[in-house]
Amino acid sequence: MIRGLYTAGAGMMAQMARQDAVANNMANVNTSGYKKQIAVTRAFPDMIISRLGETEKNSRNELEPAAVEKIGGLGTGVAIDKIYSDFSRGNITKTDNNTDMAINSNGYFAVQTPQGERYTRNGQFKINSEGVLTTNQGYPVLDNSNQPISIEGDFIVDEMGNISVNGEVLAQLKIVSFDNPQYLEREGDNLLNGQQAVNLERPGLLQGYIEASNVNAVKEMVELINVVRAYESMQKVVQSEDEVTQAAIDQVGSVT
């Protein structure tokens, strides 16, 4: 009975973690460049159930202990293995805003934060009062020399990330890639932290476009309903196990 409580309780905790991931996805459905998260579960190691205490007759017609017979396995619950990120590209939409940029490849913009260099797919930039290209949070966007980019007047950005004013190249956006994006650590403001970034030679940059979130709101809503139903099922199992335990205490433990 106690095993049943532990198994159901572990299932409820796993569903709560899945719910947190889905809720975060739905909250960022309109965040440019956001990549949805997926909570993946794993089963606890199964217990092997064996039949013990059986006897059998030998050739002398004498009873002796029978060999242990394995009946099968018993599941002991699940836990969250890892929160994975889906790095598939979101839809790229046209905005006709010169400071909006989208990467039509697997690259990331490099920006400078108080904690150091960070990376993002959100190319919804702006030019601040000092003429520096920044994110919406005010973090400077970096060039290939790891310096903030200052722009005056109308500018053009080509697919290589070169920023030109009146035909003169001022700087080149630092756009990097990673061998395995799953090792990137999520931080606030849609930023990622990672090691061993490699500069992309052909990032396929699009000026005047924005990459939308890759979250499908309808699918996330269906997933949320499934999570809630699974949680309610585990809740009923806990209640049933509690009732059985209470009956055992009242009846088996009572003095007649």
Side-chain angles (χ1 to χ4, degrees), residues 13-64:
M13 293 175 64
Q15 297 307 321
M16 289 176 65
R18 288 180 61 197
Q19 178 178 278
D20 291 342
V22 174
N24 191 44
N25 291 339
M26 296 184 67
N28 289 279
V29 68
N30 293 319
T31 301
S32 299
Y34 176 82
K35 304 304 177 186
K36 73 175 182 178
Q37 294 179 299
I38 304 171
V40 179
T41 59
R42 61 175 174 83
F44 291 149
D46 287 349
M47 296 178 62
I48 302 298
I49 303 176
S50 302
R51 179 177 293 152
L52 304 174
E54 297 290 325
T55 58
E56 61 182 5
K57 291 185 177 180
N58 57 21
S59 58
R60 298 187 298 274
N61 202 29
E62 298 173 342
L63 290 176
E64 62 180 16

Side-chain angles (χ1 to χ4, degrees), residues 102-179:
I103 302 175
N104 193 21
S105 65
N106 61 343
Y108 300 83
F109 296 103
V111 301
Q112 186 65 42
T113 72
Q115 291 74 35
E117 186 173 308
R118 296 295 184 264
Y119 310 97
T120 182
R121 290 280 297 187
N122 187 355
Q124 200 168 22
F125 302 138
K126 64 181 180 180
I127 299 177
N128 65 13
S129 58
E130 299 176 354
V132 177
L133 187 67
T134 68
T135 66
N136 284 333
Q137 292 76 31
Y139 303 133
V141 181
L142 298 178
D143 62 11
N144 275 344
S145 300
N146 294 326
Q147 297 298 318
I149 301 171
S150 297
I151 303 175
E152 293 183 5
D154 294 334
F155 65 96
I156 297 175
V157 185
D158 62 19
E159 65 176 0
M160 305 292 292
N162 295 311
I163 301 175
S164 304
V165 176
N166 297 325
E168 180 182 353
V169 177
L170 297 180
Q172 184 179 19
L173 287 164
K174 183 177 182 179
I175 301 175
V176 302
S177 65
F178 298 89
D179 291 336

